[in-house]
Amino acid sequence: MSYKMGDVNNKVKLIDLHVHSANSDGEQSPEEVINCAKEAGLSAIAITDHNVFTYTEPFVSEGVKVIPGIEFSAEYYVPAWEKTTEIHVVGIFPDGVRASDFEEIFSEIDDGKEAYIHAILDDLATRSIHITMDEVIAAKSKGKHIGRHDIARVLIQKGIENDIEAAFDHQIGNFSPYYIPSTRYIHYASLKEIIHQVLESGGIPILAHPYGYSMNENEMELLIEEFSWLVRQECSGGFESTGTLPAGMEVYYEKYLTDPERMRFLKYMQKRYGLLASAGGDRHREGQTFCTGGSFDLLDKLVAVLR
C-alpha cells in the first residue's frame, strides 16, 4: 500500500510523526501505541524507533494512517565545540522502505553501544551505584539496540530513581551532571550519509528537536543550515523552482509548543532554509501526550514536495 494524500478519516487532522514503541526505548508495544493514537483522535502517526524499523509498509488501522519511520542517530561536528555530538534525524517513508538499504548505516552501532554502556556503568560505580551489564541486558526489549533507557529501567528496579525522566535528569541524560557523550564510543553515520540514504530510499529526512542538543541558537542555525545544504546537494538543484526541499524540521515539537520564543525561532529557520515543518510528540510511554500541534496538511505537504 502506498500513501495517498487525504486517504484516511482526518476530521480531527492531528498527526504525530515522531513516536516510539517498545521496539526501541518506548514502553508500549507498537499495537498499543496505535490504539492509543486512535483513542487520542489522531489521523496519522509514524512510529520512529531508534535506529530500527518497526514497520516497513504503510497501513491504516481503524482510521489511523501508520507510516513507516525511524529515528537515526547521526554524528555531527560542532565547530564552536571542536568536537562531535549526536544529532537525531527522523526519516519517514510514506510508500514503504527496504530495511536492508540501511544495513551499512547501522553496521557499527552495536559494538559502540556496548562500550558506551560499560562507560556509563563505570561512571555510576564511582557514585556507589552498582549495575551489571547482565542486568542491563535483562532489561533490554527484543529487537533493539542496547541503550541508556535500559540502564534507566534498572535504576528504577533498584529503587534508585522513581521514573525514566528522573533517571535521565539525575544520572545519565544529556542534561544531567554526569552526561557522557555517546560519540566518544559509538561511530554513527554522518548527517550526509543518512540524508543521502533516506532520500535514495524514497523517504523524507526531518531534523529532530533542534533544541535537544545543548546548542545556543547560533550553533543551532549552523546545524539547520548544514542540514538544508546537504539536502540541496542530494537534490542537485531539482527543487530550486519551488524553493522548498523534500526535507523537514520539527517545528511543532510537543515540548516547544508553549514557548513562543522557541516557536518564532524555529518557524523563521524553517522558512529561511527552505524546509517543511514537521510535528512530533516524541512519545515514549502511556500517559505522555501525542503531538497536539501538527495538522494533517503538514503531512500532505511533505509527501507532495517529495513527489
Side-chain angles (χ1 to χ4, degrees), residues 2-302:
S2 64
Y3 176 90
K4 296 178 182 177
M5 290 182 282
D7 68 348
V8 299
N9 176 6
N10 61 340
K11 290 181 180 178
V12 180
K13 296 186 178 179
L14 287 178
I15 64 167
D16 193 329
L17 302 181
H18 185 165
V19 180
H20 295 280
S21 77
N23 207 28
S24 64
D25 56 354
E27 292 185 354
Q28 293 181 297
S29 70
E31 295 77 15
E32 289 171 328
V33 172
I34 294 167
N35 189 56
C36 287
K38 175 196 167 190
E39 292 177 357
L42 270 75
S43 293
I45 63 169
I47 294 184
T48 56
D49 284 311
H50 290 279
N51 299 310
V52 64
F53 286 99
T54 294
Y55 295 113
T56 57
E57 293 293 335
F59 61 94
V60 177
S61 177
E62 299 187 68
V64 179
K65 181 75 177 181
V66 181
I67 299 164
I70 192 168
E71 184 173 11
F72 297 96
S73 296
E75 201 168 280
Y76 170 73
Y77 181 78
V78 186
W81 303 354
E82 297 185 344
K83 60 183 179 182
T84 60
T85 192
E86 179 183 346
I87 298 297
H88 290 177
V89 176
V90 166
I92 63 169
F93 300 85
D95 296 322
V97 61
R98 288 193 306 265
S100 59
D101 288 353
F102 294 87
E103 287 178 358
E104 189 171 344
I105 295 287
F106 302 135
S107 61
E108 297 184 55
I109 290 180
D110 277 333
D111 289 344
K113 280 277 188 181
E114 187 169 336
Y116 183 43
I117 297 304
H118 275 298
I120 295 173
L121 298 184
D122 289 344
D123 183 66
L124 287 168
T126 66
R127 289 176 266 139
S128 299
I129 300 173
H130 299 287
I131 295 174
T132 68
M133 180 61 81
D134 286 343
E135 289 174 315
V136 177
I137 292 172
K140 174 181 173 291
S141 298
K142 183 179 179 181
K144 73 180 187 68
H145 304 280
I146 194 169
R148 287 184 296 174
H149 276 76
D150 305 313
I151 298 175
R153 292 187 183 103
V154 179
L155 288 168
I156 295 166
Q157 291 168 8
K158 289 179 174 285
I160 297 166
E161 298 292 350
N162 292 327
D163 53 41
I164 296 286
E165 285 81 4
F168 271 75
D169 289 345
H170 302 157
Q171 308 291 350
I172 59 175
N174 292 34
F175 299 98
S176 78
Y178 309 104
Y179 173 56
I180 300 174
S182 62
T183 49
R184 290 183 190 173
Y185 300 91
I186 306 170
H187 176 61
Y188 295 118
S190 67
L191 269 179
K192 180 179 180 179
E193 291 169 315
I194 289 169
I195 288 169
H196 167 79
Q197 193 57 60
V198 171
L199 290 169
E200 182 78 8
S201 298
I204 303 166
I206 298 166
L207 182 62
H209 43 65
Y211 279 95
Y213 311 114
S214 301
M215 296 179 182
N216 62 38
E217 290 186 346
N218 289 331
E219 293 161 351
M220 246 187 291
E221 180 167 4
L222 288 175
L223 167 62
I224 296 165
E225 182 180 25
E226 181 167 342
F227 181 83
S228 172
W229 182 83
L230 288 169
V231 174
R232 288 180 188 279
Q233 295 304 300
E234 289 296 325
C235 294
S236 301
F239 291 82
E240 294 300 326
S241 61
T242 66
T244 304
L245 296 166
M249 182 175 77
E250 284 184 344
V251 174
Y252 300 99
Y253 185 71
E254 185 64 21
K255 293 180 181 178
Y256 306 158
L257 295 178
T258 57
D259 189 325
E261 289 188 10
R262 286 188 173 187
M263 291 301 295
R264 276 195 295 270
F265 176 77
L266 292 174
K267 288 178 180 178
Y268 175 68
M269 289 292 103
Q270 170 238 321
K271 292 176 182 176
R272 179 172 184 178
Y273 291 103
L275 298 168
L276 288 159
S278 188
D282 206 358
R283 182 184 184 275
H284 285 77
R285 60 195 60 87
E286 189 175 8
Q288 280 187 318
T289 184
F290 290 93
C291 186
T292 57
S295 61
F296 199 86
D297 64 335
L298 292 179
L299 176 58
D300 276 351
K301 287 176 182 177
L302 285 164

